Amino acid sequence: MTPFLTIQQTSASYPVFVGRGILAKTGELVSPRGKVFVITSPELRERFGEPVVASFGGRASLVLMEEGEANKTIDTANAVVTRLIELDGRRDSMAVVVGGGMIGDTAGFAAAIFLRGIDLVHVPTTLLAQVDSSIGGKVAVNHPKGKNLVGAFHPPAAVVADTDLLATLPRAELLSGLFEALKGGVIRDPALFELFEDRRDEMLARDADVIDALVRKKIAVKAEIVSSDERENDLRRLLNYGHTIAHGIEAALGYAGLTHGEAVAWGMIGANAIAVRRGILSQGDAARIERAILQLGPQQIPRLDRQQVLAATAHDKKNTGDSRVMVFPSRIGDCSIVSDVTEKEISYGIDAVLERQGL
Amino acid sequence: MTPFLTIQQTSASYPVFVGRGILAKTGELVSPRGKVFVITSPELRERFGEPVVASFGGRASLVLMEEGEANKTIDTANAVVTRLIELDGRRDSMAVVVGGGMIGDTAGFAAAIFLRGIDLVHVPTTLLAQVDSSIGGKVAVNHPKGKNLVGAFHPPAAVVADTDLLATLPRAELLSGLFEALKGGVIRDPALFELFEDRRDEMLARDADVIDALVRKKIAVKAEIVSSDERENDLRRLLNYGHTIAHGIEAALGYAGLTHGEAVAWGMIGANAIAVRRGILSQGDAARIERAILQLGPQQIPRLDRQQVLAATAHDKKNTGDSRVMVFPSRIGDCSIVSDVTEKEISYGIDAVLERQGL
């Protein structure tokens, strides 16, 4: 099978396979040098883990870890490392990580630190993981003081994205991925954005052609960005569009009650308000983006302390020194990075989000 | 000050400064982009930590961690990360790690995983750390199942090796570094080896010229090897000369009772016995190496279960698949990697070490 594309990063290059029914062919798509460890959760074991193990024809062992954001910790990663050691994992072993972003990030981090890094294959099972977290080489776990504060750059050896899996994805998780894809359209691909305007009903009905087009387009956007810039010094920061206020909202909610995609959706609305006020973005484009977001039906934010949101944005790990960095669209398909954003502006953006609640 | 040399690795290049009294000039030798965190132990705080902090003229904060092999754990690294977060560390922060190998490895690993890696400067305070662990970009912590099983490649931004510090180093730690330096001579530098034959008394009396020559020559050997080959696929494995049996001895002793350098010293004697039996190394060269080692006076091995040593070598993380990989000298200054070593041969090498005990 030919990869959909090959990502060229500074430290590695790797194929991304996209297709229907390819989960059960994972073993044919990658080339392990030694033992294979298929890492997934008890919940995903039967449907996704076992078929991946079988695809390696007896060469692979299953390693189980607990799911859930509360388990996205250094302790869980260390427990995975312990299993790899118990199963006599070596430097030439391969970790095949099957699951959503939490599993990919946590088991991916385990693969990054075990023996200073073994081969890693991502088999993302959610839309968000397929179009976002499995691409680019970032892995991380949370720290009690914040999300993703402990991690590594560890580009995978391959990504295997089976879009058949999205047919049974819970609706909330589908939506979470859709918002992330919509973000990609605003950043860099007007045609991807227009799918949300022109084919929304088919998209929500999970029409195979529309979903496949969306996944490919969003992966292409992210691939282009991470290929040029592995470590987020410049271009990669564009991916943080919507994330400043999103992270603030998530932190203020204790990372509960909203999906990450929904938080980003509200964060884009907040960022757009600041961009319009600065004269960077037209009111017309801002309205188009907002309409596309709201028509997908993001959940309202359960409760929110504006000051808490604001305080949490100050700890954003994108900040260096005292400057606040944000990404603003100038039109649909084009964004830029602004590094002199004031606390007052962020406060204005948060207010814009709060105003949309209860509509 | 001009660096002694600049190491060019695949993912980074960095200067190594070697000199007398340069610890207190660390702040002038490196270029932090943001905040500076000087990480050391309570024991080293006053003599080494405070002068380094002062060298940054008020810009640096002190972070303390516990010393000792028992504390070389992921939990200690995580505790350092927690302090960095509490002190509002950012992506542009710099970790300046002051201490021996345990501190460099553990705090270096913390710097590697905090925010997916911040700038790291090594200020090694022992001979072993100056000539070995601070050079090459490897950082790691131990796992209950083995040494250095969890880690990262995280090349430093600079290394500052102040040879004045070696004047007060405990004799056991001096010896540990000397054995590692002797290993470097056998691997790659006959002139370095000859220092041990011709200037041993001055070396043990810590004559400044001899110590400085030794430090520079050993750093040059390691720099050359890690420059060509960052991730130990080939040339870097030469550095493992003596380490197969050394790790077996250390594991069998529960990592107590011998310094790492002494274990390597005995491991070299064991490896040489196998090399002589294979016809790779002459008996004459083996005798020269053994004499140089024994005249430094390595501690005898307290107690040793041959089977335990042998079992521990099977878990060596250098092994891939079932092959046993060892490094053998062919003459002083030249070594090669052999990947078909049998368990029987390793057993023979262990016996050779045991025979030398009680002499």
Side-chain angles (χ1 to χ4, degrees):
Chain A
M1 183 180 174
T2 313
F4 163 56
L5 50 74
T6 297
I7 299 186
Q8 307 277 353
Q9 293 186 246
T10 315
S11 58
S13 100
Y14 53 94
V16 180
F17 298 94
V18 181
R20 298 211 157 242
I22 64 175
L23 177 94
K25 294 177 188 157
T26 302
E28 300 161 36
L29 299 175
V30 302
S31 308
R33 296 177 290 144
K35 297 184 184 194
V36 176
F37 300 104
V38 175
I39 309 174
T40 193
S41 68
E43 291 81 359
L44 302 183
R45 171 183 187 154
E46 197 178 323
R47 282 175 61 211
F48 305 141
E50 300 286 4
V52 173
V53 168
S55 77
F56 285 94
R59 186 172 185 178
S61 326
L62 196 69
V63 170
L64 295 178
M65 58 172 276
E66 294 305 317
E67 274 191 24
E69 196 70 17
N71 292 311
K72 192 179 167 182
T73 60
I74 201 164
D75 287 344
T76 302
N78 198 30
V80 171
V81 167
T82 300
R83 278 304 287 153
L84 297 182
I85 296 170
E86 286 168 355
L87 293 168
D88 201 21
R90 304 289 179 98
R91 285 197 180 156
D92 61 358
S93 297
M94 172 181 277
V96 179
V97 173
V98 180
M102 178 271 164
I103 291 176
D105 269 9
T106 309
F109 181 59
I113 61 175
F114 175 53
L115 304 179
R116 300 194 184 90
I118 62 170
D119 287 350
L120 170 65
V121 170
H122 281 296
V123 183
T125 61
T126 66
L127 179 59
L128 187 61
Q130 290 187 355
V131 303
D132 188 32
S133 57
S134 68
I135 311 290
K138 284 187 180 184
V139 290
V141 294
N142 299 335
H143 184 278
K145 303 266 179 184
K147 279 186 81 168
N148 296 328
L149 294 184
V150 171
F153 282 91
H154 189 59
V159 179
V160 179
D162 183 344
T163 50
D164 260 354
L165 312 188
L166 307 179
T168 53
L169 193 66
R171 186 179 165 94
E173 291 193 48
L174 180 77
L175 273 185
S176 183
L178 290 180
F179 288 119
E180 193 69 34
L182 192 154
K183 186 200 77 176
V186 177
I187 292 173
R188 210 145 174 105
D189 184 354
L192 172 54
F193 180 80
E194 284 157 16
L195 282 180
F196 287 86
E197 296 185 317
D198 303 339
R199 322 266 322 247
R200 189 179 58 255
D201 293 344
E202 295 149 281
M203 189 184 283
L204 290 171
R206 312 188 194 201
D207 174 89
D209 289 345
V210 176
I211 290 289
D212 284 7
L214 177 137
V215 168
R216 285 169 201 264
K217 281 179 193 296
K218 174 58 170 65
I219 289 176
V221 166
K222 183 147 186 189
E224 189 195 345
I225 288 175
V226 300
S227 293
S228 345
D229 179 20
E230 184 167 63
R231 282 191 176 249
E232 190 162 6
N233 294 314
D234 190 24
L235 191 57
R236 191 159 181 161
R237 287 192 173 176
L238 294 180
L239 296 169
N240 290 317
Y241 169 49
H243 279 63
T244 302
I245 292 175
H247 284 321
I249 292 171
E250 289 181 301
L253 295 175
Y255 301 98
L258 275 191
T259 64
H260 178 62
E262 283 168 330
V264 170
W266 292 115
M268 289 190 278
I269 288 173
N272 288 2
I274 303 170
V276 169
R277 195 197 199 193
R278 280 195 168 222
I280 296 174
L281 178 68
S282 75
Q283 291 204 348
D285 277 351
R288 261 182 86 191
I289 298 167
E290 184 164 331
R291 202 178 311 124
I293 291 171
L294 295 179
Q295 286 183 336
L296 285 174
Q299 214 187 139
Q300 300 287 307
I301 301 172
R303 67 198 146 70
L304 207 62
D305 176 337
R306 186 159 150 287
Q307 280 313 114
Q308 267 190 302
V309 180
L310 197 59
T313 64
H315 292 291
D316 195 317
K317 69 181 178 302
K318 293 184 293 297
N319 297 334
T320 56
D322 288 328
S323 64
R324 302 284 189 94
V325 182
M326 281 185 77
V327 177
F328 297 121
S330 48
R331 60 173 182 276
I332 289 161
D334 201 9
C335 277
S336 59
I337 299 157
V338 172
S339 59
D340 63 347
V341 183
T342 64
E343 194 172 294
K344 208 173 149 189
E345 284 180 287
I346 295 177
S347 184
Y348 175 84
I350 296 169
D351 285 345
V353 175
L354 293 178
E355 273 167 28
R356 267 71 167 186
Q357 303 306 308
L359 291 184
Chain B
M1 182 179 175
T2 312
F4 163 56
L5 50 75
T6 298
I7 298 187
Q8 307 276 352
Q9 293 186 242
T10 315
S11 57
S13 99
Y14 52 94
V16 179
F17 297 95
V18 181
R20 298 209 159 242
I22 64 175
L23 177 96
K25 294 177 189 158
T26 302
E28 300 162 35
L29 298 175
V30 302
S31 308
R33 296 177 292 145
K35 297 183 185 196
V36 176
F37 299 104
V38 175
I39 309 174
T40 193
S41 68
E43 290 80 359
L44 302 183
R45 173 184 185 151
E46 196 178 323
R47 281 176 61 211
F48 304 140
E50 300 286 6
V52 173
V53 169
S55 77
F56 284 95
R59 187 172 184 177
S61 324
L62 197 69
V63 170
L64 295 178
M65 58 172 277
E66 294 305 317
E67 275 190 23
E69 196 69 17
N71 292 310
K72 193 179 166 182
T73 62
I74 200 165
D75 287 343
T76 302
N78 198 30
V80 171
V81 166
T82 299
R83 277 305 286 155
L84 297 182
I85 296 171
E86 287 168 354
L87 294 168
D88 201 21
R90 304 289 178 99
R91 285 197 179 156
D92 61 359
S93 297
M94 172 180 277
V96 179
V97 173
V98 180
M102 178 272 163
I103 291 177
D105 270 8
T106 309
F109 181 59
I113 62 175
F114 175 54
L115 304 179
R116 299 193 184 91
I118 61 170
D119 287 349
L120 170 65
V121 171
H122 282 295
V123 182
T125 60
T126 65
L127 178 60
L128 187 61
Q130 290 186 356
V131 303
D132 188 32
S133 57
S134 68
I135 310 290
K138 283 186 178 184
V139 289
V141 295
N142 299 335
H143 184 279
K145 303 266 179 183
K147 278 185 83 167
N148 295 328
L149 294 183
V150 170
F153 281 90
H154 189 60
V159 179
V160 179
D162 184 344
T163 49
D164 259 354
L165 312 188
L166 307 178
T168 53
L169 192 67
R171 186 179 165 95
E173 290 193 50
L174 180 77
L175 272 186
S176 183
L178 290 180
F179 288 119
E180 194 68 35
L182 192 155
K183 186 200 77 176
V186 177
I187 291 172
R188 211 148 174 103
D189 184 354
L192 172 54
F193 180 80
E194 284 156 16
L195 282 180
F196 288 84
E197 296 186 316
D198 304 337
R199 322 264 322 247
R200 189 179 57 255
D201 293 345
E202 294 150 283
M203 190 184 284
L204 290 171
R206 311 189 195 200
D207 174 272
D209 289 345
V210 176
I211 289 289
D212 284 6
L214 176 137
V215 168
R216 286 169 200 264
K217 281 180 193 295
K218 175 57 171 66
I219 288 175
V221 167
K222 183 148 186 187
E224 189 195 344
I225 288 176
V226 300
S227 293
S228 344
D229 178 23
E230 184 168 60
R231 283 191 176 249
E232 190 163 7
N233 295 313
D234 190 24
L235 191 57
R236 192 160 181 163
R237 286 193 174 175
L238 295 181
L239 296 169
N240 291 317
Y241 169 49
H243 279 61
T244 302
I245 292 174
H247 284 321
I249 293 171
E250 289 182 301
L253 294 176
Y255 301 98
L258 275 191
T259 64
H260 178 63
E262 282 168 331
V264 170
W266 292 114
M268 290 190 278
I269 287 173
N272 288 1
I274 303 170
V276 169
R277 194 197 199 194
R278 280 195 167 221
I280 296 174
L281 179 67
S282 72
Q283 291 203 349
D285 277 351
R288 260 182 86 191
I289 298 168
E290 184 164 330
R291 202 178 310 122
I293 291 171
L294 295 179
Q295 286 183 335
L296 285 174
Q299 215 185 139
Q300 300 288 303
I301 302 173
R303 67 197 144 73
L304 207 60
D305 176 336
R306 187 158 148 288
Q307 280 312 115
Q308 265 191 304
V309 179
L310 197 59
T313 65
H315 291 292
D316 196 315
K317 68 180 181 301
K318 292 185 293 297
N319 297 334
T320 58
D322 289 328
S323 65
R324 303 285 189 93
V325 182
M326 282 186 75
V327 177
F328 297 121
S330 48
R331 61 173 183 276
I332 289 162
D334 201 8
C335 276
S336 58
I337 299 157
V338 172
S339 59
D340 63 347
V341 184
T342 64
E343 194 172 295
K344 210 173 146 189
E345 283 180 287
I346 295 178
S347 184
Y348 176 84
I350 296 169
D351 284 344
V353 174
L354 293 178
E355 273 168 28
R356 267 72 169 187
Q357 303 307 309
L359 292 184

